Amino acid sequence: MIKVNKLNKSFGNLHVLKNINLTVKESDVVVLVGASGSGKSTLLRCLNFLEIKNSGQIIIEGEQIEKNTHDLNKIRQKVGMVFQHFNLFPHMTVLQNVIEAPIQVKKQTKQEAIEEGKYLLEKVGLGDKYDVYPSTLSGGQKQRVAIARALAMKPDVMLFDEPTSALDPELVGEVLATMKELAEEGMTMVVVTHEMGFAREVADWAVYMHEGKIIEVGSPNELFDNPKEKRTQAFLSSVL
Ligand code: ADP
Ligand code: MG
Protein backbone atom coordinates (compact mmCIF):
# COMPACT_ATOMS: atom_id res chain seq x y z
CA MET A 1 0.00 0.00 0.00
CA ILE A 2 2.80 2.40 0.96
CA LYS A 3 6.49 1.95 0.35
CA VAL A 4 9.04 4.54 1.34
CA ASN A 5 12.63 4.26 0.13
CA LYS A 6 15.47 6.40 1.43
CA LEU A 7 13.21 9.33 2.17
CA ASN A 8 14.97 12.54 3.17
CA LYS A 9 13.40 15.79 4.24
CA SER A 10 15.08 18.97 5.44
CA PHE A 11 13.79 22.33 6.58
CA GLY A 12 16.62 24.66 5.60
CA ASN A 13 19.69 23.27 7.32
CA LEU A 14 17.68 21.03 9.60
CA HIS A 15 17.80 17.47 8.32
CA VAL A 16 14.58 16.06 9.77
CA LEU A 17 14.05 12.71 7.99
CA LYS A 18 17.15 10.65 7.26
CA ASN A 19 16.96 7.78 4.79
CA ILE A 20 13.60 6.53 5.99
CA ASN A 21 12.57 3.09 4.70
CA LEU A 22 9.08 1.89 5.54
CA THR A 23 6.61 -0.59 4.11
CA VAL A 24 2.93 -0.61 5.01
CA LYS A 25 0.87 -3.45 3.58
CA GLU A 26 -2.84 -3.39 2.93
CA SER A 27 -4.83 -3.58 6.20
CA ASP A 28 -1.71 -3.11 8.30
CA VAL A 29 -1.95 -0.92 11.35
CA VAL A 30 1.43 0.66 12.04
CA VAL A 31 2.09 2.65 15.18
CA LEU A 32 4.86 5.23 15.11
CA VAL A 33 6.47 6.17 18.40
CA GLY A 34 9.37 8.43 19.30
CA ALA A 35 10.30 11.51 21.25
CA SER A 36 8.96 14.93 20.40
CA GLY A 37 10.95 16.35 17.49
CA SER A 38 12.02 12.97 16.13
CA GLY A 39 10.19 13.59 12.84
CA LYS A 40 6.97 11.60 13.22
CA SER A 41 4.65 14.37 12.04
CA THR A 42 6.96 15.29 9.20
CA LEU A 43 6.94 11.67 8.01
CA LEU A 44 3.13 11.53 8.03
CA ARG A 45 2.97 14.90 6.27
CA CYS A 46 5.34 13.63 3.57
CA LEU A 47 3.14 10.55 3.09
CA ASN A 48 0.19 12.86 2.56
CA PHE A 49 2.23 15.32 0.46
CA LEU A 50 1.54 18.19 2.81
CA GLU A 51 5.33 18.35 2.89
CA ILE A 52 7.40 17.65 -0.18
CA LYS A 53 10.37 15.37 0.30
CA ASN A 54 13.89 16.36 -0.74
CA SER A 55 14.86 12.92 -1.99
CA GLY A 56 13.86 9.28 -1.96
CA GLN A 57 10.77 7.51 -3.18
CA ILE A 58 7.22 7.40 -1.95
CA ILE A 59 5.26 4.63 -3.63
CA ILE A 60 1.52 4.54 -3.05
CA GLU A 61 -0.36 1.50 -4.33
CA GLY A 62 2.52 0.62 -6.60
CA GLU A 63 2.89 4.06 -8.11
CA GLN A 64 5.86 6.29 -7.40
CA ILE A 65 4.44 9.71 -6.60
CA GLU A 66 6.25 12.88 -7.64
CA LYS A 67 4.89 16.39 -7.41
CA ASN A 68 5.82 17.13 -11.02
CA THR A 69 3.99 14.18 -12.48
CA HIS A 70 1.03 13.67 -10.16
CA ASP A 71 -1.96 15.67 -9.07
CA LEU A 72 -1.25 15.72 -5.34
CA ASN A 73 -4.86 16.59 -4.56
CA LYS A 74 -5.86 13.26 -6.08
CA ILE A 75 -3.24 11.43 -4.02
CA ARG A 76 -4.42 13.18 -0.85
CA GLN A 77 -7.88 11.72 -1.47
CA LYS A 78 -6.37 8.25 -1.17
CA VAL A 79 -4.45 9.11 1.98
CA GLY A 80 -6.69 10.59 4.67
CA MET A 81 -5.26 12.42 7.65
CA VAL A 82 -6.49 13.18 11.15
CA PHE A 83 -4.65 15.76 13.24
CA GLN A 84 -4.16 16.35 16.94
CA HIS A 85 -6.18 19.56 16.80
CA PHE A 86 -9.16 18.34 14.73
CA ASN A 87 -9.08 21.34 12.32
CA LEU A 88 -12.87 21.36 11.85
CA PHE A 89 -14.48 24.33 10.09
CA PRO A 90 -16.05 26.27 12.99
CA HIS A 91 -18.67 28.05 10.85
CA MET A 92 -20.08 24.80 9.47
CA THR A 93 -22.31 22.23 11.13
CA VAL A 94 -21.00 18.76 11.78
CA LEU A 95 -22.65 17.37 8.66
CA GLN A 96 -21.46 20.31 6.52
CA ASN A 97 -17.92 19.63 7.72
CA VAL A 98 -18.20 16.06 6.53
CA ILE A 99 -19.83 16.72 3.13
CA GLU A 100 -17.78 19.77 2.10
CA ALA A 101 -14.83 18.00 0.49
CA PRO A 102 -16.81 15.18 -1.13
CA ILE A 103 -18.94 17.82 -2.87
CA GLN A 104 -16.19 20.34 -3.67
CA VAL A 105 -13.30 18.02 -4.42
CA LYS A 106 -14.87 14.68 -5.32
CA LYS A 107 -17.80 16.28 -7.14
CA GLN A 108 -20.31 14.07 -5.38
CA THR A 109 -23.91 15.22 -5.60
CA LYS A 110 -25.15 16.90 -2.45
CA GLN A 111 -27.72 14.15 -1.98
CA GLU A 112 -25.08 11.44 -2.19
CA ALA A 113 -22.69 13.29 0.12
CA ILE A 114 -25.38 13.84 2.73
CA GLU A 115 -26.40 10.19 2.68
CA GLU A 116 -22.82 9.02 3.00
CA GLY A 117 -22.02 11.69 5.61
CA LYS A 118 -24.93 10.69 7.80
CA TYR A 119 -23.91 7.06 7.55
CA LEU A 120 -20.35 7.90 8.62
CA LEU A 121 -21.47 10.12 11.50
CA GLU A 122 -23.76 7.33 12.65
CA LYS A 123 -20.82 4.97 12.47
CA VAL A 124 -18.62 7.15 14.71
CA GLY A 125 -21.48 7.46 17.20
CA LEU A 126 -22.63 10.97 16.29
CA GLY A 127 -25.91 10.20 14.57
CA ASP A 128 -27.67 12.77 16.76
CA LYS A 129 -25.21 15.62 16.07
CA TYR A 130 -25.60 16.34 12.34
CA ASP A 131 -26.87 19.86 12.78
CA VAL A 132 -24.81 21.22 15.64
CA TYR A 133 -21.69 23.35 15.37
CA PRO A 134 -18.28 22.01 16.42
CA SER A 135 -18.02 24.49 19.31
CA THR A 136 -20.82 22.64 21.11
CA LEU A 137 -18.99 19.29 20.98
CA SER A 138 -16.50 17.72 23.37
CA GLY A 139 -12.96 17.13 22.14
CA GLY A 140 -13.66 13.43 21.68
CA GLN A 141 -16.75 14.19 19.60
CA LYS A 142 -14.82 16.72 17.50
CA GLN A 143 -12.14 14.17 16.80
CA ARG A 144 -14.76 11.61 15.76
CA VAL A 145 -16.21 14.20 13.35
CA ALA A 146 -12.70 14.70 11.98
CA ILE A 147 -12.40 10.94 11.45
CA ALA A 148 -15.79 10.81 9.68
CA ARG A 149 -14.74 13.77 7.53
CA ALA A 150 -11.54 12.01 6.47
CA LEU A 151 -13.44 8.79 5.75
CA ALA A 152 -15.92 10.68 3.57
CA MET A 153 -13.20 10.94 0.92
CA LYS A 154 -13.05 7.13 0.84
CA PRO A 155 -9.32 6.96 1.46
CA ASP A 156 -7.35 3.74 1.10
CA VAL A 157 -5.03 4.69 3.96
CA MET A 158 -5.61 6.76 7.08
CA LEU A 159 -2.85 8.67 8.86
CA PHE A 160 -3.43 9.73 12.46
CA ASP A 161 -1.10 12.27 14.08
CA GLU A 162 -1.48 12.02 17.86
CA PRO A 163 -5.28 11.97 17.55
CA THR A 164 -5.88 11.74 21.30
CA SER A 165 -3.06 13.94 22.65
CA ALA A 166 -5.22 17.05 22.94
CA LEU A 167 -8.08 15.25 24.70
CA ASP A 168 -9.00 15.09 28.35
CA PRO A 169 -8.16 11.59 29.60
CA GLU A 170 -11.79 10.53 29.92
CA LEU A 171 -12.37 11.24 26.21
CA VAL A 172 -9.43 9.29 24.84
CA GLY A 173 -11.19 5.91 24.95
CA GLU A 174 -14.06 6.84 22.64
CA VAL A 175 -11.68 7.99 19.91
CA LEU A 176 -9.45 4.93 20.26
CA ALA A 177 -12.57 2.74 20.09
CA THR A 178 -13.54 4.38 16.79
CA MET A 179 -10.04 3.82 15.45
CA LYS A 180 -10.04 0.23 16.61
CA GLU A 181 -13.30 -0.40 14.80
CA LEU A 182 -11.81 1.06 11.65
CA ALA A 183 -8.76 -1.18 11.99
CA GLU A 184 -10.98 -4.23 12.43
CA GLU A 185 -12.77 -3.36 9.20
CA GLY A 186 -9.41 -3.65 7.46
CA MET A 187 -8.44 0.00 7.03
CA THR A 188 -4.73 0.51 6.45
CA MET A 189 -3.55 2.90 9.16
CA VAL A 190 -0.40 4.68 10.27
CA VAL A 191 -0.84 6.10 13.76
CA VAL A 192 1.46 8.35 15.76
CA THR A 193 0.47 7.79 19.36
CA HIS A 194 1.75 7.28 22.86
CA GLU A 195 -1.20 5.06 23.71
CA MET A 196 0.70 1.85 24.27
CA GLY A 197 -2.43 -0.10 25.22
CA PHE A 198 -3.98 0.76 21.86
CA ALA A 199 -0.73 -0.09 20.10
CA ARG A 200 -0.53 -3.51 21.71
CA GLU A 201 -4.15 -4.31 21.07
CA VAL A 202 -4.58 -2.96 17.56
CA ALA A 203 -1.25 -2.48 15.81
CA ASP A 204 0.47 -5.08 13.65
CA TRP A 205 3.75 -3.20 13.74
CA ALA A 206 5.38 -0.63 15.94
CA VAL A 207 8.10 1.64 14.62
CA TYR A 208 10.48 3.59 16.81
CA MET A 209 11.90 6.85 15.43
CA HIS A 210 14.80 8.78 16.89
CA GLU A 211 16.31 11.96 15.46
CA GLY A 212 14.83 11.43 12.01
CA LYS A 213 15.74 7.77 11.66
CA ILE A 214 13.82 4.56 12.06
CA ILE A 215 15.75 2.74 14.74
CA GLU A 216 13.65 -0.36 15.25
CA VAL A 217 10.55 -2.11 13.90
CA GLY A 218 8.74 -5.04 15.48
CA SER A 219 5.43 -6.29 16.71
CA PRO A 220 4.20 -3.99 19.49
CA ASN A 221 4.89 -6.65 22.12
CA GLU A 222 8.39 -7.31 20.79
CA LEU A 223 9.23 -3.64 20.57
CA PHE A 224 7.75 -2.57 23.89
CA ASP A 225 8.77 -5.60 25.98
CA ASN A 226 12.03 -6.62 24.36
CA PRO A 227 13.51 -3.67 22.49
CA LYS A 228 16.79 -4.64 20.88
CA GLU A 229 18.24 -1.17 20.56
CA LYS A 230 19.53 0.83 23.51
CA ARG A 231 17.85 4.01 22.26
CA THR A 232 14.47 2.25 22.05
CA GLN A 233 14.94 0.95 25.60
CA ALA A 234 15.81 4.41 26.87
CA PHE A 235 12.79 5.98 25.15
CA LEU A 236 10.39 3.35 26.40
CA SER A 237 11.60 3.55 29.97
CA SER A 238 10.97 7.31 29.81
CA VAL A 239 7.35 6.98 28.64
CA LEU A 240 6.12 3.76 30.24
P1 ADP B 1 7.50 15.01 15.96
O1 ADP B 1 6.18 14.96 15.28
O2 ADP B 1 8.17 13.69 16.09
O3 ADP B 1 7.44 15.73 17.28
P2 ADP B 1 8.17 16.85 13.84
O4 ADP B 1 8.10 16.07 12.58
O5 ADP B 1 7.03 17.73 14.16
O6 ADP B 1 8.49 15.87 15.05
O7 ADP B 1 9.47 17.76 13.83
C1 ADP B 1 10.76 17.27 13.56
C2 ADP B 1 11.71 18.44 13.50
O8 ADP B 1 11.43 19.24 12.37
C3 ADP B 1 11.65 19.37 14.70
O9 ADP B 1 12.95 19.80 15.01
C4 ADP B 1 10.78 20.51 14.20
O10 ADP B 1 11.09 21.70 14.88
C5 ADP B 1 11.18 20.57 12.74
N1 ADP B 1 10.11 21.09 11.88
C6 ADP B 1 8.91 20.51 11.67
N2 ADP B 1 8.17 21.22 10.79
C7 ADP B 1 8.93 22.26 10.42
C8 ADP B 1 8.74 23.37 9.52
N3 ADP B 1 7.61 23.49 8.80
N4 ADP B 1 9.75 24.25 9.40
C9 ADP B 1 10.90 24.11 10.10
N5 ADP B 1 11.15 23.10 10.94
C10 ADP B 1 10.18 22.19 11.12
MG1 MG C 1 4.33 15.51 15.91
Side-chain angles (χ1 to χ4, degrees), residues 135-165:
S135 60
T136 68
L137 299 177
S138 72
Q141 291 171 327
K142 285 180 195 166
Q143 193 57 299
R144 287 184 283 140
V145 174
I147 293 171
R149 184 177 62 174
L151 291 174
M153 297 300 278
K154 299 191 171 57
D156 296 333
V157 184
M158 286 279 282
L159 310 177
F160 293 86
D161 193 357
E162 302 205 33
T164 60
S165 296

mmCIF file of all heavy atoms in Angstrom, residues 135-165:
data_model
loop_
_atom_site.group_PDB
_atom_site.id
_atom_site.type_symbol
_atom_site.label_atom_id
_atom_site.label_comp_id
_atom_site.label_asym_id
_atom_site.label_seq_id
_atom_site.Cartn_x
_atom_site.Cartn_y
_atom_site.Cartn_z
ATOM 1 N N SER A 135 -18.300 23.877 18.003
ATOM 2 C CA SER A 135 -18.017 24.488 19.308
ATOM 3 C C SER A 135 -18.858 23.879 20.429
ATOM 4 O O SER A 135 -18.515 24.014 21.598
ATOM 5 C CB SER A 135 -18.265 25.994 19.246
ATOM 6 O OG SER A 135 -19.608 26.231 18.897
ATOM 7 N N THR A 136 -19.959 23.227 20.072
ATOM 8 C CA THR A 136 -20.820 22.639 21.110
ATOM 9 C C THR A 136 -20.408 21.202 21.457
ATOM 10 O O THR A 136 -21.028 20.573 22.302
ATOM 11 C CB THR A 136 -22.302 22.620 20.659
ATOM 12 O OG1 THR A 136 -22.435 21.702 19.575
ATOM 13 C CG2 THR A 136 -22.766 23.994 20.200
ATOM 14 N N LEU A 137 -19.390 20.691 20.776
ATOM 15 C CA LEU A 137 -18.991 19.294 20.983
ATOM 16 C C LEU A 137 -17.816 19.179 21.944
ATOM 17 O O LEU A 137 -17.015 20.111 22.084
ATOM 18 C CB LEU A 137 -18.567 18.671 19.644
ATOM 19 C CG LEU A 137 -19.604 18.595 18.539
ATOM 20 C CD1 LEU A 137 -18.972 18.006 17.282
ATOM 21 C CD2 LEU A 137 -20.811 17.772 18.962
ATOM 22 N N SER A 138 -17.692 18.023 22.579
ATOM 23 C CA SER A 138 -16.497 17.719 23.374
ATOM 24 C C SER A 138 -15.333 17.431 22.417
ATOM 25 O O SER A 138 -15.545 17.182 21.223
ATOM 26 C CB SER A 138 -16.746 16.490 24.237
ATOM 27 O OG SER A 138 -16.764 15.328 23.428
ATOM 28 N N GLY A 139 -14.131 17.435 22.962
ATOM 29 C CA GLY A 139 -12.960 17.128 22.137
ATOM 30 C C GLY A 139 -13.048 15.749 21.482
ATOM 31 O O GLY A 139 -12.693 15.586 20.309
ATOM 32 N N GLY A 140 -13.551 14.785 22.233
ATOM 33 C CA GLY A 140 -13.663 13.429 21.682
ATOM 34 C C GLY A 140 -14.660 13.377 20.533
ATOM 35 O O GLY A 140 -14.440 12.701 19.524
ATOM 36 N N GLN A 141 -15.756 14.129 20.686
ATOM 37 C CA GLN A 141 -16.748 14.186 19.599
ATOM 38 C C GLN A 141 -16.169 14.901 18.385
ATOM 39 O O GLN A 141 -16.359 14.464 17.247
ATOM 40 C CB GLN A 141 -18.008 14.894 20.096
ATOM 41 C CG GLN A 141 -18.783 14.066 21.129
ATOM 42 C CD GLN A 141 -19.915 14.852 21.774
ATOM 43 O OE1 GLN A 141 -19.817 16.071 21.958
ATOM 44 N NE2 GLN A 141 -20.988 14.154 22.120
ATOM 45 N N LYS A 142 -15.444 16.003 18.625
ATOM 46 C CA LYS A 142 -14.819 16.724 17.499
ATOM 47 C C LYS A 142 -13.879 15.804 16.730
ATOM 48 O O LYS A 142 -13.854 15.802 15.495
ATOM 49 C CB LYS A 142 -14.015 17.925 18.010
ATOM 50 C CG LYS A 142 -14.859 19.100 18.433
ATOM 51 C CD LYS A 142 -13.954 20.229 18.910
ATOM 52 C CE LYS A 142 -14.776 21.260 19.662
ATOM 53 N NZ LYS A 142 -13.972 22.198 20.419
ATOM 54 N N GLN A 143 -13.098 15.035 17.476
ATOM 55 C CA GLN A 143 -12.138 14.171 16.796
ATOM 56 C C GLN A 143 -12.862 13.087 16.007
ATOM 57 O O GLN A 143 -12.424 12.707 14.916
ATOM 58 C CB GLN A 143 -11.147 13.577 17.802
ATOM 59 C CG GLN A 143 -9.929 12.922 17.189
ATOM 60 C CD GLN A 143 -9.120 13.848 16.301
ATOM 61 O OE1 GLN A 143 -9.624 14.350 15.284
ATOM 62 N NE2 GLN A 143 -7.876 14.100 16.662
ATOM 63 N N ARG A 144 -13.995 12.611 16.520
ATOM 64 C CA ARG A 144 -14.755 11.612 15.756
ATOM 65 C C ARG A 144 -15.375 12.223 14.502
ATOM 66 O O ARG A 144 -15.475 11.557 13.472
ATOM 67 C CB ARG A 144 -15.790 10.940 16.663
ATOM 68 C CG ARG A 144 -15.088 9.971 17.636
ATOM 69 C CD ARG A 144 -16.073 9.200 18.492
ATOM 70 N NE ARG A 144 -16.616 10.014 19.576
ATOM 71 C CZ ARG A 144 -17.886 9.988 19.974
ATOM 72 N NH1 ARG A 144 -18.767 9.226 19.362
ATOM 73 N NH2 ARG A 144 -18.282 10.746 20.973
ATOM 74 N N VAL A 145 -15.757 13.508 14.576
ATOM 75 C CA VAL A 145 -16.211 14.202 13.351
ATOM 76 C C VAL A 145 -15.050 14.272 12.350
ATOM 77 O O VAL A 145 -15.226 14.017 11.152
ATOM 78 C CB VAL A 145 -16.724 15.628 13.649
ATOM 79 C CG1 VAL A 145 -17.047 16.360 12.339
ATOM 80 C CG2 VAL A 145 -17.949 15.597 14.555
ATOM 81 N N ALA A 146 -13.868 14.587 12.869
ATOM 82 C CA ALA A 146 -12.700 14.701 11.975
ATOM 83 C C ALA A 146 -12.411 13.356 11.295
ATOM 84 O O ALA A 146 -12.049 13.310 10.116
ATOM 85 C CB ALA A 146 -11.483 15.179 12.762
ATOM 86 N N ILE A 147 -12.612 12.271 12.035
ATOM 87 C CA ILE A 147 -12.401 10.944 11.446
ATOM 88 C C ILE A 147 -13.460 10.683 10.368
ATOM 89 O O ILE A 147 -13.138 10.238 9.257
ATOM 90 C CB ILE A 147 -12.425 9.847 12.538
ATOM 91 C CG1 ILE A 147 -11.198 10.009 13.454
ATOM 92 C CG2 ILE A 147 -12.455 8.456 11.908
ATOM 93 C CD1 ILE A 147 -11.222 9.118 14.706
ATOM 94 N N ALA A 148 -14.717 10.999 10.672
ATOM 95 C CA ALA A 148 -15.791 10.813 9.677
ATOM 96 C C ALA A 148 -15.518 11.659 8.434
ATOM 97 O O ALA A 148 -15.715 11.211 7.304
ATOM 98 C CB ALA A 148 -17.142 11.190 10.290
ATOM 99 N N ARG A 149 -15.025 12.878 8.669
ATOM 100 C CA ARG A 149 -14.738 13.769 7.533
ATOM 101 C C ARG A 149 -13.640 13.182 6.650
ATOM 102 O O ARG A 149 -13.728 13.232 5.414
ATOM 103 C CB ARG A 149 -14.335 15.152 8.046
ATOM 104 C CG ARG A 149 -14.119 16.154 6.935
ATOM 105 C CD ARG A 149 -13.803 17.528 7.458
ATOM 106 N NE ARG A 149 -12.570 17.538 8.231
ATOM 107 C CZ ARG A 149 -12.010 18.634 8.709
ATOM 108 N NH1 ARG A 149 -12.584 19.818 8.492
ATOM 109 N NH2 ARG A 149 -10.895 18.558 9.395
ATOM 110 N N ALA A 150 -12.607 12.630 7.267
ATOM 111 C CA ALA A 150 -11.541 12.010 6.473
ATOM 112 C C ALA A 150 -12.069 10.794 5.720
ATOM 113 O O ALA A 150 -11.755 10.581 4.542
ATOM 114 C CB ALA A 150 -10.366 11.631 7.371
ATOM 115 N N LEU A 151 -12.915 10.005 6.387
ATOM 116 C CA LEU A 151 -13.441 8.794 5.748
ATOM 117 C C LEU A 151 -14.370 9.118 4.578
ATOM 118 O O LEU A 151 -14.527 8.305 3.666
ATOM 119 C CB LEU A 151 -14.203 7.945 6.774
ATOM 120 C CG LEU A 151 -13.355 7.286 7.849
ATOM 121 C CD1 LEU A 151 -14.254 6.590 8.883
ATOM 122 C CD2 LEU A 151 -12.387 6.277 7.236
ATOM 123 N N ALA A 152 -14.980 10.295 4.622
ATOM 124 C CA ALA A 152 -15.923 10.678 3.569
ATOM 125 C C ALA A 152 -15.244 10.758 2.201
ATOM 126 O O ALA A 152 -15.904 10.666 1.169
ATOM 127 C CB ALA A 152 -16.592 12.013 3.913
ATOM 128 N N MET A 153 -13.928 10.908 2.196
ATOM 129 C CA MET A 153 -13.201 10.940 0.924
ATOM 130 C C MET A 153 -12.854 9.539 0.439
ATOM 131 O O MET A 153 -12.177 9.368 -0.567
ATOM 132 C CB MET A 153 -11.931 11.774 1.072
ATOM 133 C CG MET A 153 -12.195 13.235 1.407
ATOM 134 S SD MET A 153 -13.185 14.051 0.142
ATOM 135 C CE MET A 153 -11.892 14.421 -1.047
ATOM 136 N N LYS A 154 -13.315 8.540 1.186
ATOM 137 C CA LYS A 154 -13.047 7.132 0.844
ATOM 138 C C LYS A 154 -11.557 6.853 0.619
ATOM 139 O O LYS A 154 -11.147 6.335 -0.429
ATOM 140 C CB LYS A 154 -13.850 6.716 -0.391
ATOM 141 C CG LYS A 154 -15.358 6.817 -0.196
ATOM 142 C CD LYS A 154 -16.074 6.143 -1.342
ATOM 143 C CE LYS A 154 -17.561 6.007 -1.120
ATOM 144 N NZ LYS A 154 -18.272 7.258 -0.869
ATOM 145 N N PRO A 155 -10.759 7.181 1.619
ATOM 146 C CA PRO A 155 -9.316 6.958 1.464
ATOM 147 C C PRO A 155 -8.976 5.466 1.539
ATOM 148 O O PRO A 155 -9.756 4.684 2.087
ATOM 149 C CB PRO A 155 -8.734 7.688 2.686
ATOM 150 C CG PRO A 155 -9.800 7.577 3.726
ATOM 151 C CD PRO A 155 -11.104 7.672 2.967
ATOM 152 N N ASP A 156 -7.841 5.120 0.996
ATOM 153 C CA ASP A 156 -7.352 3.738 1.101
ATOM 154 C C ASP A 156 -6.455 3.566 2.316
ATOM 155 O O ASP A 156 -6.212 2.451 2.761
ATOM 156 C CB ASP A 156 -6.565 3.363 -0.157
ATOM 157 C CG ASP A 156 -7.460 3.374 -1.378
ATOM 158 O OD1 ASP A 156 -8.670 3.149 -1.214
ATOM 159 O OD2 ASP A 156 -6.955 3.629 -2.485
ATOM 160 N N VAL A 157 -5.924 4.694 2.790
ATOM 161 C CA VAL A 157 -5.033 4.692 3.960
ATOM 162 C C VAL A 157 -5.443 5.857 4.844
ATOM 163 O O VAL A 157 -5.821 6.916 4.348
ATOM 164 C CB VAL A 157 -3.565 4.929 3.536
ATOM 165 C CG1 VAL A 157 -2.639 4.835 4.735
ATOM 166 C CG2 VAL A 157 -3.135 3.979 2.456
ATOM 167 N N MET A 158 -5.343 5.650 6.156
ATOM 168 C CA MET A 158 -5.606 6.755 7.084
ATOM 169 C C MET A 158 -4.367 6.997 7.941
ATOM 170 O O MET A 158 -3.812 6.064 8.522
ATOM 171 C CB MET A 158 -6.790 6.415 7.992
ATOM 172 C CG MET A 158 -8.142 6.492 7.300
ATOM 173 S SD MET A 158 -8.787 8.175 7.194
ATOM 174 C CE MET A 158 -9.385 8.382 8.866
ATOM 175 N N LEU A 159 -3.970 8.271 8.020
ATOM 176 C CA LEU A 159 -2.851 8.672 8.862
ATOM 177 C C LEU A 159 -3.422 9.426 10.062
ATOM 178 O O LEU A 159 -4.260 10.309 9.896
ATOM 179 C CB LEU A 159 -1.905 9.599 8.088
ATOM 180 C CG LEU A 159 -1.461 9.128 6.698
ATOM 181 C CD1 LEU A 159 -0.593 10.211 6.037
ATOM 182 C CD2 LEU A 159 -0.697 7.819 6.793
ATOM 183 N N PHE A 160 -2.963 9.075 11.243
ATOM 184 C CA PHE A 160 -3.431 9.731 12.465
ATOM 185 C C PHE A 160 -2.226 10.318 13.181
ATOM 186 O O PHE A 160 -1.303 9.585 13.535
ATOM 187 C CB PHE A 160 -4.093 8.716 13.400
ATOM 188 C CG PHE A 160 -5.387 8.140 12.891
ATOM 189 C CD1 PHE A 160 -5.388 7.030 12.059
ATOM 190 C CD2 PHE A 160 -6.600 8.700 13.261
ATOM 191 C CE1 PHE A 160 -6.587 6.482 11.608
ATOM 192 C CE2 PHE A 160 -7.802 8.156 12.819
ATOM 193 C CZ PHE A 160 -7.796 7.054 11.995
ATOM 194 N N ASP A 161 -2.231 11.637 13.394
ATOM 195 C CA ASP A 161 -1.099 12.266 14.079
ATOM 196 C C ASP A 161 -1.497 12.653 15.502
ATOM 197 O O ASP A 161 -2.123 13.681 15.718
ATOM 198 C CB ASP A 161 -0.623 13.499 13.305
ATOM 199 C CG ASP A 161 0.735 13.981 13.801
ATOM 200 O OD1 ASP A 161 1.271 13.384 14.772
ATOM 201 O OD2 ASP A 161 1.263 14.949 13.227
ATOM 202 N N GLU A 162 -1.152 11.819 16.443
ATOM 203 C CA GLU A 162 -1.479 12.024 17.859
ATOM 204 C C GLU A 162 -2.944 12.432 18.052
ATOM 205 O O GLU A 162 -3.248 13.473 18.642
ATOM 206 C CB GLU A 162 -0.548 13.077 18.475
ATOM 207 C CG GLU A 162 0.920 12.685 18.341
ATOM 208 C CD GLU A 162 1.823 13.318 19.398
ATOM 209 O OE1 GLU A 162 1.345 13.522 20.526
ATOM 210 O OE2 GLU A 162 2.981 13.598 19.078
ATOM 211 N N PRO A 163 -3.860 11.585 17.565
ATOM 212 C CA PRO A 163 -5.275 11.971 17.547
ATOM 213 C C PRO A 163 -5.895 12.157 18.926
ATOM 214 O O PRO A 163 -6.937 12.798 19.038
ATOM 215 C CB PRO A 163 -5.948 10.802 16.818
ATOM 216 C CG PRO A 163 -5.037 9.646 17.053
ATOM 217 C CD PRO A 163 -3.649 10.234 17.036
ATOM 218 N N THR A 164 -5.260 11.617 19.968
ATOM 219 C CA THR A 164 -5.875 11.744 21.301
ATOM 220 C C THR A 164 -5.052 12.609 22.252
ATOM 221 O O THR A 164 -5.419 12.773 23.413
ATOM 222 C CB THR A 164 -6.079 10.352 21.953
ATOM 223 O OG1 THR A 164 -4.810 9.698 22.090
ATOM 224 C CG2 THR A 164 -6.980 9.480 21.103
ATOM 225 N N SER A 165 -3.966 13.203 21.743
ATOM 226 C CA SER A 165 -3.064 13.942 22.650
ATOM 227 C C SER A 165 -3.670 15.229 23.201
ATOM 228 O O SER A 165 -3.252 15.702 24.252
ATOM 229 C CB SER A 165 -1.761 14.286 21.942
ATOM 230 O OG SER A 165 -1.098 13.105 21.612
#
